[in-house]
Amino acid sequence: MAKNLPPVWNKIAKHAMMPETNHDERARYNFLANLNKHLAHVSQGNKMAFEKRVEPAFVKEKERSIASVEELNEAISKDSHYQIWSSLRRSTMEMRQQAGRSIVLRQAEELRDKAAELNKGKATLVLDANCKVPEYLLAVDNHLMPGSYHTELIEGDVTPAANYDSGIFVTTAGLLGRYNDGGGKAITSWVKKTYPDFAPKRILDIGCGMGHNVLPIARAFPNAEVIAIDTGAPMLRYAHARALDLGVTNVTFMQMDAAKTIFENESFDWIQSTMFFHETGGKSIYKIMDEVYRLLKPGGLTLHIEQPQYTDDMSLFEKFIRDWDALNNSEPYWSKMHDIEPIDLMVSSGFKKEDFMQIGAKAENDLDDGTQKADEPEDHGRSPIWNVFGAIKN
Amino acid sequence: MIDHIKLASSKSKGKRPYFHDDPAVERVLNITMAIAGELAVMRERMDSIERLLEKKGLVSQKEIDTYVPETKEEETQRQEWHSEYISRVLRIVQQEMEELENPDKSIADIANDIDKM
Ligand SMILES: C[S@@+](CC[C@H](N)C(=O)[O-])C[C@H]1O[C@@H](n2cnc3c(N)ncnc32)[C@H](O)[C@@H]1O
């Protein structure tokens, strides 16, 4: 039997907000998930090309070794294997967006109406037309998603979130589980195991997106009041409708900038973010962390699931290939965030050095039926293996 | 109503990187990969059809070979399919036009901008 086959798309969980898909649309997602997986394997060839010909040629010409990621980038960009791999990977990501958008845009009005019906008269969805989209989100469409998280093609639009929800499976080849919530589940399990007596009354999720990773937290603490904020109205409309349809009622979704919230000092027991900070900006990241510190109660917990950090013992090649997505899959701030040590970020906002913590996390995947081999090569930037940093405020 | 076919193939904000020495190679590669994708889609559909037909013993090869659209609606549906198909396959050409119309900064420049935001 072939190894490492991604699950078929129709294995992902259906809920009221999941866009309708026809046979060909599902097949298109299946093709793209397989193509992604294929390229993750072929990417091992980049290392080979680098070691066997790019580096030796550089050394021969310059009589010294490659000194920086920038030099490496310049040298490898002339290599034909790197060129074809890169162009295929880029093309795959663009096709993934095209495939997702062709599904959701043809039913934009139906999806809008479904969300409106579920959201009607509910106090747990709070939109604010005066909330400004941060300028760093206006500067680029992260991960090649035309229109980003906030653009509304019709009034009451939810298509950015529907596209994200239906297609994230393709990019991750199904490794986040049926509800794409492997990250939220992993952090919930870790918190329950590490702090068995922790009983948060108020929880805040910042940059909640379509809300998939906050729901496991809300389910684990059904008596807690959970607030999830985002600046993108389409994400929040969808997230709220999705949560209600999945039976989760203790989350209030609010349109708000995490850098300047309306909440009172020391009013949350737990503040969480998931895959959020690497899509912010160089000044905002500090403002947001200041806000986290302000909002957290003494003794409160804050955790942030992020991309793996660079470490000193990482080779130049490894750093370079980890940055590939940042520059070529349009995640520009990710390439800058590497220069910030999470501990420094947190200490600058008031957290104590000795209270800082850092752990590794791996997605909990309810789709794993053993056909996904554990020994497969890491798909840099895509693997559900993360760095979690945070602190208890003292 | 929005033009969902055109919008589905829109370009994202941020200048597109090209990896081959000649951008024409990249363009053709993208078109080829899209066709490869659609061939896979078709293959999966045929697979479904063949399995269903086999299970039910319903339709003969000859009936399929001689079939032509029977109503105006059927004709329109077929043509609409072609229109969407071509837009999907020629996405990169549309996006190059959008870039011409609306030039972008490089992602590295945007990273520098964002670093100050
Ligand atoms: C990559 S998504 C992460 C979504 C989700 N947390 C997850 O687990 O995948 C980042 C989200 O953060 C939102 N966002 C970015 N900056 C924000 C800010 N300053 N305040 C609130 N939301 C923000 C974006 O709109 C987007 O939905």
Side-chain angles (χ1 to χ4, degrees):
Chain A
M1 206 182 72
K3 284 203 285 184
N4 290 323
L5 297 176
V8 290
W9 186 85
N10 57 279
K11 280 276 163 72
I12 71 167
K14 306 301 183 298
H15 50 74
M17 289 313 301
M18 188 56 86
E20 299 281 331
T21 54
N22 61 35
H23 188 286
D24 291 356
E25 290 166 340
R26 290 189 293 278
R28 203 166 283 124
Y29 270 164
N30 287 338
F31 166 73
L32 290 170
N34 277 286
L35 183 54
N36 252 314
K37 200 113 200 183
H38 176 86
L39 290 173
H41 285 255
V42 177
S43 85
Q44 303 304 304
N46 279 327
K47 189 149 187 257
M48 236 181 311
F50 175 70
E51 284 165 358
K52 292 202 166 154
R53 54 190 191 205
V54 176
E55 199 172 27
F58 185 98
V59 171
K60 197 166 164 215
E61 195 198 317
K62 307 252 161 99
E63 295 181 335
R64 63 173 176 86
S65 51
I66 296 178
S68 66
V69 171
E70 290 71 32
E71 265 184 15
L72 197 163
N73 183 15
E74 208 187 306
I76 203 171
S77 64
K78 296 180 203 94
D79 185 85
S80 63
H81 179 81
Y82 171 76
Q83 289 179 346
I84 189 73
W85 179 81
S86 297
S87 53
L88 285 169
R89 177 113 155 172
R90 169 79 188 199
S91 175
T92 306
M93 293 316 301
E94 292 179 354
M95 283 196 280
R96 173 264 169 271
Q97 287 301 328
Q98 205 278 343
R101 284 164 65 81
S102 73
I103 293 170
V104 302
L105 296 183
R106 69 169 172 79
Q107 52 188 306
E109 280 147 16
E110 289 89 332
L111 287 168
R112 185 255 326 266
D113 294 345
K114 277 190 214 168
E117 187 58 33
L118 280 157
N119 293 340
K120 200 165 65 190
K122 292 283 189 305
T124 41
L125 175 64
V126 184
L127 298 181
D128 174 10
N130 293 319
C131 173
K132 280 211 184 76
V133 176
E135 54 177 341
Y136 56 77
L137 283 183
L138 297 174
V140 69
D141 288 337
N142 278 298
H143 37 75
L144 313 182
M145 191 169 73
S148 192
Y149 303 102
H150 57 273
T151 302
E152 307 197 6
L153 294 171
I154 57 172
E155 211 185 314
D157 200 3
V158 296
T159 55
N163 175 28
Y164 195 105
D165 196 9
S166 73
I168 191 171
F169 164 92
V170 171
T171 332
T172 58
L175 291 172
L176 297 178
R178 297 178 63 229
Y179 289 93
N180 298 315
D181 61 355
K185 277 187 178 158
I187 205 69
T188 306
S189 301
W190 185 84
V191 166
K192 284 249 169 194
K193 202 175 92 217
T194 314
Y195 306 105
D197 299 329
F198 186 47
K201 288 196 200 67
R202 275 186 108 214
I203 301 171
L204 178 67
D205 184 63
I206 57 180
C208 63
M210 52 115 174
H212 50 306
N213 281 317
V214 72
L215 297 195
I217 297 175
R219 277 203 193 92
F221 297 98
N223 298 320
E225 179 195 4
V226 183
I227 297 177
I229 63 171
D230 203 284
T231 47
M235 304 308 281
L236 293 162
R237 289 186 194 106
Y238 185 94
H240 183 259
R242 180 182 183 276
L244 289 188
D245 186 66
L246 293 174
V248 180
T249 52
N250 59 328
V251 187
T252 301
F253 290 91
M254 301 179 82
Q255 189 175 11
M256 208 183 286
D257 187 335
K260 30 182 190 277
T261 71
I262 56 157
F263 306 116
E264 282 175 23
N265 290 353
E266 306 188 344
S267 55
F268 289 94
D269 303 285
W270 178 3
I271 301 181
Q272 175 68 30
S273 81
T274 303
M275 301 305 278
F276 166 71
F277 278 116
H278 72 273
E279 288 188 15
T280 61
K283 286 203 176 120
S284 311
I285 193 171
Y286 288 98
K287 288 188 197 152
I288 294 167
M289 194 54 87
D290 286 350
E291 191 69 353
V292 168
Y293 186 81
R294 181 181 78 76
L295 297 177
L296 204 57
K297 286 184 199 166
L301 171 71
T302 186
L303 292 171
H304 307 282
I305 301 185
E306 260 306 329
Q307 294 291 347
Q309 279 294 112
Y310 285 5
T311 53
D312 291 340
D313 58 358
M314 228 176 236
S315 70
L316 273 185
F317 179 80
E318 177 118 14
K319 288 182 183 170
F320 164 76
I321 207 74
R322 281 183 187 278
D323 252 1
W324 193 96
D325 266 60
L327 294 177
N328 297 309
N329 189 28
S330 287
E331 295 261 16
Y333 188 59
W334 183 357
S335 72
K336 298 286 178 184
M337 204 186 141
H338 291 310
D339 299 337
I340 301 176
E341 283 297 330
I343 188 166
D344 297 337
L345 170 65
M346 297 205 64
V347 166
S348 81
S349 295
F351 290 97
K352 296 207 182 86
K353 248 197 173 92
E354 60 271 27
D355 294 333
F356 178 77
M357 60 177 118
Q358 190 145 275
I359 54 168
K362 199 172 183 314
E364 282 181 21
N365 179 7
D366 58 3
L367 268 173
D368 191 359
D369 58 3
T371 54
Q372 305 245 344
K373 292 269 290 165
D375 61 0
E376 74 181 289
E378 183 180 353
D379 184 12
H380 297 290
R382 306 283 170 74
S383 298
I385 300 162
W386 305 293
N387 172 43
V388 182
F389 65 90
I392 289 182
K393 178 176 171 182
N394 277 308
Chain B
M1 247 222 353
I2 56 174
D3 184 348
H4 63 93
I5 294 180
K6 177 159 183 267
L7 285 169
S9 294
S10 306
K11 180 185 167 302
S12 65
K13 190 174 173 68
K15 197 178 192 67
R16 188 187 199 282
Y18 279 75
F19 301 94
H20 296 279
D21 302 332
D22 182 349
V25 174
E26 190 109 3
R27 186 182 307 135
V28 174
L29 179 83
N30 272 265
I31 294 170
T32 312
M33 286 312 291
I35 293 174
E38 294 314 301
L39 186 60
V41 167
M42 198 53 74
R43 177 65 187 76
E44 192 170 309
R45 193 174 183 94
M46 290 301 290
D47 183 65
S48 294
I49 294 170
E50 284 167 18
R51 285 173 202 274
L52 285 169
L53 290 181
E54 196 179 307
K55 278 177 197 169
K56 301 189 176 183
L58 275 179
V59 175
S60 73
Q61 191 77 50
K62 187 154 182 284
E63 273 176 292
I64 295 171
D65 276 339
T66 52
Y67 183 82
V68 288
E70 282 159 1
T71 64
K72 181 77 197 152
E73 200 193 351
E74 283 185 17
E75 287 169 7
T76 311
Q77 280 171 356
R78 284 203 178 205
Q79 295 304 77
E80 223 173 53
W81 183 90
H82 279 293
S83 165
E84 184 168 3
Y85 174 68
I86 290 163
S87 167
R88 183 172 284 121
V89 171
L90 296 182
R91 166 185 49 75
I92 190 166
V93 184
Q94 178 182 328
Q95 295 188 351
E96 283 177 3
M97 265 168 50
E98 289 177 21
E99 161 76 33
L100 264 181
E101 202 172 76
N102 228 332
D104 252 328
K105 289 188 179 180
S106 74
I107 295 298
D109 284 349
I110 293 173
N112 287 328
D113 290 351
I114 286 182
D115 208 27
K116 296 188 204 83
M117 288 175 186

